[in-house]
Amino acid sequence: MENPSRPGRRKRYKGTHPKSFDEKYKEHQPSKYAGDIEKIIDKGYTPAGMHRSICVDEILEFLKLSPGQKGLDATLGYGGHSREILKYILPGGILYATDVDPYELPRTAVRFAESGFGDDVLKIRQMNFAGIEQIAAEAGLLDFVLADLGVSSMQIDNPERGFSLKSDGPLDLRLNPLKGKPASELLKSMTSEKLESILSENSDEPHAGIISNTISFAIKNGKPLATTSQMKNCIADALKFIPVHLREETIKKSCQRCFQALRIEVNDEFGALEKFLEKLPVVLAPGGRVAILSFHSGEDRRVKKSFQRFFRDGIYAEVAPDPIRPSVQEISSNPRARSAKLRWAIRNTE
Ligand SMILES: C[S@@+](CC[C@H](N)C(=O)[O-])C[C@H]1O[C@@H](n2cnc3c(N)ncnc32)[C@H](O)[C@@H]1O
């Protein structure tokens, strides 16, 4: 038996290539194992517990930051974008940064504190960006706002968060697991019709009907649907009618879309985005700039519509004519960038 007074042994790598999130202890300590981390990134992977920021150059080029500016990174995540922004607004500038995640946010805050960024220059708040007016109430009008929507790699890769299709975990999908209900609970009280509309409206799932019927039938018959694997198996069951040579790929794609659709529902992601977009004109200073990175059509459509409406109303002086896409080089070095679209708007000067 283990001696309770001695610290537990660190998990050992199984072989040279650990697969599970927990075993990747080197990746969880990037400052200690910088060489290993670099090799992983060079191979086009994201190290466990890290997030690689997307479209950094394109965002910086648009924001045209200068020392003394005050702005908001609405989706702090690992803090990669914030770190870059701080280089340009200091000295004299202040960056506010928000995120709903109660687990990753303190880790990011510690990393910033360890690199010398105190609360005088970086003000981190755990909150939903739907309440962006609270930041403006504290900070005054903002020179710039950035939002990099969706989930971070730390959230996706940690099986305990229930976002991962690769390894088993609880079917949770909450960005803030301390609030609201996990996906597994929501599903229990959802009608098949409601689920079908969530799957098709949030993620354009072509097999929404049969998948929602299969899930509802399973729940009614007491089949457990509490883990990501159980959910994947249920989707695979629903798609048994697909010809064998197409089945594996179809199941994979449908699983990705269904998990995304449920995540959007569990976190009311469209509701939060719409509130944020609606309040932006009131929190931006005259000439203030906003950049938003989205990762699927439901997000991009909302951003585009809102920017264009406020442009027609003369509130935005200029908006992105087309979305900016990550470069081919960025996509090949970071496949998670492939669906990103960047849109921007500039507040008029009145
Ligand atoms: C793609 S990551 C951001 C990564 C970050 N830009 C970086 O460079 O590390 C998205 C982050 O936004 C957060 N998030 C998503 N919706 C949010 C909301 N409504 N309010 C605040 N944070 C949110 C997630 O918890 C996640 O940490």
Tab-separated table of all heavy atoms in Angstrom, residues 51-54 56 73-82 98-101 104 127-130 146-155 161 175-176 267-269 272-273 293 295, ligand 1:
chain	number	residue	atom	x	y	z
A	51	HIS	N	-2.896	26.200	-25.991
A	51	HIS	CA	-3.738	26.599	-27.127
A	51	HIS	C	-2.877	27.457	-28.043
A	51	HIS	O	-2.144	28.326	-27.577
A	51	HIS	CB	-4.937	27.417	-26.633
A	51	HIS	CG	-5.810	27.905	-27.746
A	51	HIS	ND1	-6.872	27.154	-28.213
A	51	HIS	CD2	-5.781	29.024	-28.492
A	51	HIS	CE1	-7.467	27.816	-29.202
A	51	HIS	NE2	-6.812	28.956	-29.392
A	52	ARG	N	-2.940	27.191	-29.330
A	52	ARG	CA	-2.180	28.020	-30.286
A	52	ARG	C	-3.125	29.051	-30.888
A	52	ARG	O	-4.133	28.708	-31.518
A	52	ARG	CB	-1.569	27.124	-31.357
A	52	ARG	CG	-0.497	26.218	-30.733
A	52	ARG	CD	-0.131	25.101	-31.662
A	52	ARG	NE	0.582	25.614	-32.821
A	52	ARG	CZ	0.750	24.901	-33.937
A	52	ARG	NH1	0.260	23.687	-34.037
A	52	ARG	NH2	1.409	25.413	-34.953
A	53	SER	N	-2.794	30.323	-30.688
A	53	SER	CA	-3.678	31.402	-31.133
A	53	SER	C	-3.713	31.470	-32.656
A	53	SER	O	-2.696	31.245	-33.316
A	53	SER	CB	-3.195	32.729	-30.585
A	53	SER	OG	-3.087	32.632	-29.198
A	54	ILE	N	-4.868	31.828	-33.170
A	54	ILE	CA	-5.101	31.796	-34.619
A	54	ILE	C	-5.161	33.213	-35.195
A	54	ILE	O	-5.670	34.139	-34.537
A	54	ILE	CB	-6.399	30.990	-34.881
A	54	ILE	CG1	-6.124	29.523	-34.535
A	54	ILE	CG2	-6.877	31.115	-36.331
A	54	ILE	CD1	-7.311	28.638	-34.456
A	56	VAL	N	-3.061	35.543	-35.628
A	56	VAL	CA	-2.471	36.595	-34.784
A	56	VAL	C	-2.033	37.797	-35.636
A	56	VAL	O	-2.381	38.940	-35.333
A	56	VAL	CB	-1.284	36.034	-33.974
A	56	VAL	CG1	-0.599	37.135	-33.189
A	56	VAL	CG2	-1.761	34.953	-33.013
A	73	ASP	N	-9.898	41.737	-24.490
A	73	ASP	CA	-9.849	40.419	-25.124
A	73	ASP	C	-10.984	39.654	-24.459
A	73	ASP	O	-10.878	39.244	-23.304
A	73	ASP	CB	-8.491	39.758	-24.866
A	73	ASP	CG	-8.421	38.362	-25.480
A	73	ASP	OD1	-9.470	37.865	-25.958
A	73	ASP	OD2	-7.330	37.752	-25.477
A	74	ALA	N	-12.088	39.472	-25.198
A	74	ALA	CA	-13.310	38.912	-24.591
A	74	ALA	C	-13.200	37.413	-24.346
A	74	ALA	O	-14.016	36.843	-23.611
A	74	ALA	CB	-14.499	39.213	-25.498
A	75	THR	N	-12.205	36.764	-24.966
A	75	THR	CA	-12.067	35.309	-24.829
A	75	THR	C	-10.599	34.986	-24.525
A	75	THR	O	-9.849	34.563	-25.411
A	75	THR	CB	-12.500	34.623	-26.150
A	75	THR	OG1	-11.830	35.298	-27.240
A	75	THR	CG2	-13.996	34.695	-26.372
A	76	LEU	N	-10.229	35.167	-23.293
A	76	LEU	CA	-8.817	35.070	-22.884
A	76	LEU	C	-8.185	33.724	-23.216
A	76	LEU	O	-7.073	33.663	-23.720
A	76	LEU	CB	-8.722	35.343	-21.372
A	76	LEU	CG	-7.356	35.166	-20.739
A	76	LEU	CD1	-6.382	36.203	-21.251
A	76	LEU	CD2	-7.467	35.268	-19.201
A	77	GLY	N	-8.853	32.615	-22.903
A	77	GLY	CA	-8.310	31.274	-23.180
A	77	GLY	C	-6.928	31.088	-22.581
A	77	GLY	O	-6.698	31.344	-21.401
A	78	TYR	N	-5.973	30.658	-23.403
A	78	TYR	CA	-4.594	30.440	-22.949
A	78	TYR	C	-3.841	31.768	-22.833
A	78	TYR	O	-2.777	31.846	-22.252
A	78	TYR	CB	-3.868	29.528	-23.941
A	78	TYR	CG	-2.565	28.968	-23.431
A	78	TYR	CD1	-2.558	27.917	-22.518
A	78	TYR	CD2	-1.339	29.477	-23.842
A	78	TYR	CE1	-1.370	27.392	-22.039
A	78	TYR	CE2	-0.144	28.966	-23.372
A	78	TYR	CZ	-0.169	27.913	-22.465
A	78	TYR	OH	1.003	27.397	-21.991
A	79	GLY	N	-4.427	32.803	-23.464
A	79	GLY	CA	-3.837	34.144	-23.335
A	79	GLY	C	-2.875	34.511	-24.448
A	79	GLY	O	-2.180	35.526	-24.352
A	80	GLY	N	-2.835	33.729	-25.523
A	80	GLY	CA	-1.892	33.992	-26.610
A	80	GLY	C	-2.151	35.337	-27.287
A	80	GLY	O	-1.217	36.114	-27.505
A	81	HIS	N	-3.424	35.609	-27.612
A	81	HIS	CA	-3.736	36.894	-28.246
A	81	HIS	C	-3.457	38.041	-27.269
A	81	HIS	O	-2.890	39.063	-27.647
A	81	HIS	CB	-5.210	36.939	-28.692
A	81	HIS	CG	-5.487	36.116	-29.912
A	81	HIS	ND1	-6.339	35.039	-29.913
A	81	HIS	CD2	-5.006	36.214	-31.180
A	81	HIS	CE1	-6.375	34.514	-31.129
A	81	HIS	NE2	-5.581	35.206	-31.917
A	82	SER	N	-3.848	37.862	-26.010
A	82	SER	CA	-3.629	38.915	-25.006
A	82	SER	C	-2.151	39.256	-24.890
A	82	SER	O	-1.761	40.414	-24.805
A	82	SER	CB	-4.138	38.464	-23.634
A	82	SER	OG	-5.532	38.538	-23.579
A	98	THR	N	-11.681	38.687	-20.509
A	98	THR	CA	-12.743	37.900	-19.877
A	98	THR	C	-12.743	36.474	-20.408
A	98	THR	O	-12.292	36.213	-21.527
A	98	THR	CB	-14.139	38.521	-20.158
A	98	THR	OG1	-14.297	38.661	-21.576
A	98	THR	CG2	-14.299	39.869	-19.508
A	99	ASP	N	-13.247	35.560	-19.594
A	99	ASP	CA	-13.485	34.172	-20.013
A	99	ASP	C	-14.445	33.567	-18.995
A	99	ASP	O	-14.415	33.935	-17.815
A	99	ASP	CB	-12.181	33.362	-20.049
A	99	ASP	CG	-12.284	32.165	-20.990
A	99	ASP	OD1	-13.127	31.271	-20.734
A	99	ASP	OD2	-11.570	32.128	-21.999
A	100	VAL	N	-15.291	32.646	-19.463
A	100	VAL	CA	-16.243	32.012	-18.535
A	100	VAL	C	-15.629	30.829	-17.801
A	100	VAL	O	-16.179	30.375	-16.798
A	100	VAL	CB	-17.502	31.477	-19.271
A	100	VAL	CG1	-18.515	32.552	-19.492
A	100	VAL	CG2	-17.154	30.766	-20.553
A	101	ASP	N	-14.508	30.322	-18.295
A	101	ASP	CA	-13.976	29.063	-17.776
A	101	ASP	C	-13.346	29.230	-16.384
A	101	ASP	O	-12.300	29.875	-16.247
A	101	ASP	CB	-12.930	28.522	-18.761
A	101	ASP	CG	-12.502	27.117	-18.430
A	101	ASP	OD1	-12.344	26.807	-17.230
A	101	ASP	OD2	-12.330	26.313	-19.351
A	104	GLU	N	-9.594	27.081	-16.388
A	104	GLU	CA	-8.454	27.527	-17.197
A	104	GLU	C	-8.084	28.982	-16.904
A	104	GLU	O	-6.918	29.360	-16.994
A	104	GLU	CB	-8.743	27.344	-18.698
A	104	GLU	CG	-8.827	25.895	-19.138
A	104	GLU	CD	-7.529	25.115	-18.910
A	104	GLU	OE1	-6.452	25.717	-18.837
A	104	GLU	OE2	-7.617	23.870	-18.794
A	127	MET	N	-16.137	36.093	-16.477
A	127	MET	CA	-17.518	36.461	-16.792
A	127	MET	C	-17.832	36.170	-18.257
A	127	MET	O	-16.932	35.938	-19.064
A	127	MET	CB	-17.751	37.942	-16.495
A	127	MET	CG	-16.839	38.885	-17.248
A	127	MET	SD	-17.288	40.609	-17.012
A	127	MET	CE	-18.447	40.820	-18.355
A	128	ASN	N	-19.122	36.187	-18.556
A	128	ASN	CA	-19.576	35.951	-19.920
A	128	ASN	C	-19.473	37.260	-20.704
A	128	ASN	O	-19.879	38.310	-20.197
A	128	ASN	CB	-21.033	35.484	-19.869
A	128	ASN	CG	-21.479	34.880	-21.184
A	128	ASN	OD1	-21.343	35.493	-22.248
A	128	ASN	ND2	-22.008	33.676	-21.102
A	129	PHE	N	-18.967	37.181	-21.932
A	129	PHE	CA	-18.821	38.432	-22.698
A	129	PHE	C	-20.159	39.046	-23.079
A	129	PHE	O	-20.214	40.170	-23.586
A	129	PHE	CB	-17.876	38.277	-23.892
A	129	PHE	CG	-18.238	37.233	-24.917
A	129	PHE	CD1	-19.491	37.193	-25.512
A	129	PHE	CD2	-17.288	36.292	-25.331
A	129	PHE	CE1	-19.814	36.249	-26.479
A	129	PHE	CE2	-17.598	35.331	-26.296
A	129	PHE	CZ	-18.867	35.317	-26.861
A	130	ALA	N	-21.252	38.312	-22.840
A	130	ALA	CA	-22.589	38.890	-23.071
A	130	ALA	C	-22.788	40.119	-22.181
A	130	ALA	O	-23.599	40.991	-22.479
A	130	ALA	CB	-23.665	37.853	-22.787
A	146	LEU	N	-11.509	42.239	-28.999
A	146	LEU	CA	-11.241	41.013	-29.766
A	146	LEU	C	-12.060	39.881	-29.176
A	146	LEU	O	-12.141	39.744	-27.947
A	146	LEU	CB	-9.746	40.648	-29.670
A	146	LEU	CG	-9.375	39.236	-30.156
A	146	LEU	CD1	-9.569	39.092	-31.666
A	146	LEU	CD2	-7.927	38.897	-29.792
A	147	ALA	N	-12.687	39.066	-30.029
A	147	ALA	CA	-13.329	37.838	-29.555
A	147	ALA	C	-12.912	36.697	-30.474
A	147	ALA	O	-12.997	36.817	-31.699
A	147	ALA	CB	-14.842	37.991	-29.546
A	148	ASP	N	-12.426	35.620	-29.869
A	148	ASP	CA	-11.969	34.426	-30.588
A	148	ASP	C	-12.914	33.331	-30.098
A	148	ASP	O	-12.697	32.739	-29.040
A	148	ASP	CB	-10.499	34.200	-30.185
A	148	ASP	CG	-9.916	32.912	-30.673
A	148	ASP	OD1	-10.517	32.268	-31.536
A	148	ASP	OD2	-8.818	32.557	-30.176
A	149	LEU	N	-13.996	33.118	-30.860
A	149	LEU	CA	-15.135	32.359	-30.327
A	149	LEU	C	-14.859	30.859	-30.136
A	149	LEU	O	-13.910	30.317	-30.690
A	149	LEU	CB	-16.333	32.546	-31.259
A	149	LEU	CG	-16.753	34.006	-31.469
A	149	LEU	CD1	-17.864	34.104	-32.516
A	149	LEU	CD2	-17.231	34.636	-30.150
A	150	GLY	N	-15.761	30.225	-29.390
A	150	GLY	CA	-15.721	28.768	-29.270
A	150	GLY	C	-14.901	28.271	-28.102
A	150	GLY	O	-14.879	28.882	-27.038
A	151	VAL	N	-14.218	27.140	-28.343
A	151	VAL	CA	-13.496	26.468	-27.259
A	151	VAL	C	-11.990	26.492	-27.504
A	151	VAL	O	-11.550	26.562	-28.640
A	151	VAL	CB	-13.920	24.980	-27.131
A	151	VAL	CG1	-15.104	24.797	-26.252
A	151	VAL	CG2	-14.146	24.352	-28.483
A	152	SER	N	-11.243	26.406	-26.408
A	152	SER	CA	-9.784	26.371	-26.531
A	152	SER	C	-9.328	24.919	-26.641
A	152	SER	O	-10.071	23.987	-26.310
A	152	SER	CB	-9.151	27.002	-25.288
A	152	SER	OG	-9.417	26.189	-24.160
A	153	SER	N	-8.078	24.748	-27.064
A	153	SER	CA	-7.527	23.389	-27.151
A	153	SER	C	-7.441	22.748	-25.761
A	153	SER	O	-7.595	21.533	-25.624
A	153	SER	CB	-6.136	23.422	-27.779
A	153	SER	OG	-6.225	23.911	-29.086
A	154	MET	N	-7.210	23.581	-24.725
A	154	MET	CA	-7.122	22.987	-23.367
A	154	MET	C	-8.460	22.344	-23.009
A	154	MET	O	-8.520	21.292	-22.391
A	154	MET	CB	-6.821	24.037	-22.289
A	154	MET	CG	-5.525	24.758	-22.414
A	154	MET	SD	-5.744	26.205	-23.447
A	154	MET	CE	-6.596	27.332	-22.386
A	155	GLN	N	-9.544	23.032	-23.388
A	155	GLN	CA	-10.879	22.498	-23.072
A	155	GLN	C	-11.162	21.253	-23.909
A	155	GLN	O	-11.631	20.232	-23.394
A	155	GLN	CB	-11.937	23.572	-23.332
A	155	GLN	CG	-11.839	24.749	-22.366
A	155	GLN	CD	-12.581	25.985	-22.847
A	155	GLN	OE1	-12.730	26.234	-24.036
A	155	GLN	NE2	-13.044	26.799	-21.904
A	161	ARG	N	-13.628	17.332	-19.486
A	161	ARG	CA	-14.551	18.403	-19.826
A	161	ARG	C	-15.670	17.926	-20.756
A	161	ARG	O	-16.653	18.641	-20.982
A	161	ARG	CB	-13.797	19.576	-20.488
A	161	ARG	CG	-12.667	20.164	-19.666
A	161	ARG	CD	-13.141	20.829	-18.406
A	161	ARG	NE	-14.036	21.934	-18.648
A	161	ARG	CZ	-13.684	23.213	-18.704
A	161	ARG	NH1	-12.421	23.536	-18.536
A	161	ARG	NH2	-14.576	24.153	-18.895
A	175	LEU	N	-18.724	25.196	-20.828
A	175	LEU	CA	-17.527	26.030	-20.731
A	175	LEU	C	-17.302	26.412	-19.277
A	175	LEU	O	-16.174	26.579	-18.833
A	175	LEU	CB	-17.689	27.290	-21.579
A	175	LEU	CG	-17.790	27.070	-23.095
A	175	LEU	CD1	-18.215	28.338	-23.799
A	175	LEU	CD2	-16.466	26.568	-23.646
A	176	ASN	N	-18.399	26.565	-18.553
A	176	ASN	CA	-18.314	26.779	-17.108
A	176	ASN	C	-19.061	25.640	-16.405
A	176	ASN	O	-20.270	25.702	-16.209
A	176	ASN	CB	-18.939	28.123	-16.718
A	176	ASN	CG	-18.883	28.329	-15.207
A	176	ASN	OD1	-18.467	27.439	-14.458
A	176	ASN	ND2	-19.318	29.495	-14.745
A	267	ASN	N	-24.271	25.877	-23.742
A	267	ASN	CA	-23.666	27.145	-23.293
A	267	ASN	C	-24.404	28.376	-23.802
A	267	ASN	O	-23.918	29.491	-23.614
A	267	ASN	CB	-22.208	27.195	-23.768
A	267	ASN	CG	-21.373	26.090	-23.157
A	267	ASN	OD1	-21.153	26.076	-21.950
A	267	ASN	ND2	-20.965	25.135	-23.970
A	268	ASP	N	-25.532	28.166	-24.461
A	268	ASP	CA	-26.270	29.275	-25.086
A	268	ASP	C	-25.298	30.193	-25.845
A	268	ASP	O	-25.294	31.409	-25.684
A	268	ASP	CB	-27.049	30.069	-24.017
A	268	ASP	CG	-27.947	31.127	-24.677
A	268	ASP	OD1	-28.323	30.946	-25.850
A	268	ASP	OD2	-28.236	32.153	-24.027
A	269	GLU	N	-24.482	29.570	-26.693
A	269	GLU	CA	-23.423	30.342	-27.361
A	269	GLU	C	-23.970	31.386	-28.328
A	269	GLU	O	-23.434	32.490	-28.411
A	269	GLU	CB	-22.449	29.384	-28.068
A	269	GLU	CG	-21.637	28.586	-27.066
A	269	GLU	CD	-20.644	27.633	-27.700
A	269	GLU	OE1	-20.123	27.898	-28.795
A	269	GLU	OE2	-20.374	26.595	-27.069
A	272	ALA	N	-25.375	34.353	-26.263
A	272	ALA	CA	-24.306	35.214	-25.727
A	272	ALA	C	-23.703	36.063	-26.843
A	272	ALA	O	-23.468	37.260	-26.669
A	272	ALA	CB	-23.227	34.352	-25.071
A	273	LEU	N	-23.480	35.444	-28.011
A	273	LEU	CA	-22.873	36.181	-29.128
A	273	LEU	C	-23.794	37.313	-29.588
A	273	LEU	O	-23.337	38.436	-29.845
A	273	LEU	CB	-22.585	35.204	-30.286
A	273	LEU	CG	-22.006	35.809	-31.559
A	273	LEU	CD1	-20.670	36.513	-31.295
A	273	LEU	CD2	-21.801	34.731	-32.645
A	293	LEU	N	-13.196	36.323	-34.441
A	293	LEU	CA	-12.826	35.083	-35.130
A	293	LEU	C	-13.921	34.070	-34.874
A	293	LEU	O	-14.234	33.766	-33.717
A	293	LEU	CB	-11.560	34.522	-34.493
A	293	LEU	CG	-10.205	34.646	-35.159
A	293	LEU	CD1	-9.172	33.924	-34.320
A	293	LEU	CD2	-10.187	34.138	-36.581
A	295	PHE	N	-15.825	30.149	-35.982
A	295	PHE	CA	-15.366	28.818	-36.420
A	295	PHE	C	-16.431	27.977	-37.089
A	295	PHE	O	-16.179	26.844	-37.451
A	295	PHE	CB	-14.740	28.061	-35.232
A	295	PHE	CG	-13.446	28.688	-34.830
A	295	PHE	CD1	-13.425	29.770	-33.955
A	295	PHE	CD2	-12.255	28.274	-35.393
A	295	PHE	CE1	-12.246	30.396	-33.625
A	295	PHE	CE2	-11.065	28.897	-35.067
A	295	PHE	CZ	-11.052	29.958	-34.180
B	1	LIG	C1	-10.733	29.829	-28.877
B	1	LIG	S1	-10.582	30.086	-27.164
B	1	LIG	C2	-9.662	31.577	-27.035
B	1	LIG	C3	-8.189	31.386	-27.145
B	1	LIG	C4	-7.380	32.659	-26.944
B	1	LIG	N1	-7.685	33.667	-27.913
B	1	LIG	C5	-5.888	32.368	-26.930
B	1	LIG	O1	-5.134	32.979	-27.708
B	1	LIG	O2	-5.457	31.536	-26.132
B	1	LIG	C6	-12.171	30.608	-26.704
B	1	LIG	C7	-12.326	30.929	-25.237
B	1	LIG	O3	-13.515	31.693	-25.103
B	1	LIG	C8	-14.189	31.327	-23.936
B	1	LIG	N2	-15.599	31.677	-24.138
B	1	LIG	C9	-16.478	31.113	-24.989
B	1	LIG	N3	-17.665	31.726	-24.909
B	1	LIG	C10	-17.533	32.726	-23.996
B	1	LIG	C11	-18.405	33.715	-23.492
B	1	LIG	N4	-19.666	33.805	-23.897
B	1	LIG	N5	-17.915	34.595	-22.585
B	1	LIG	C12	-16.619	34.517	-22.156
B	1	LIG	N6	-15.757	33.568	-22.592
B	1	LIG	C13	-16.198	32.696	-23.504
B	1	LIG	C14	-13.919	29.837	-23.795
B	1	LIG	O4	-14.048	29.430	-22.460
B	1	LIG	C15	-12.493	29.744	-24.323
B	1	LIG	O5	-11.567	29.818	-23.276
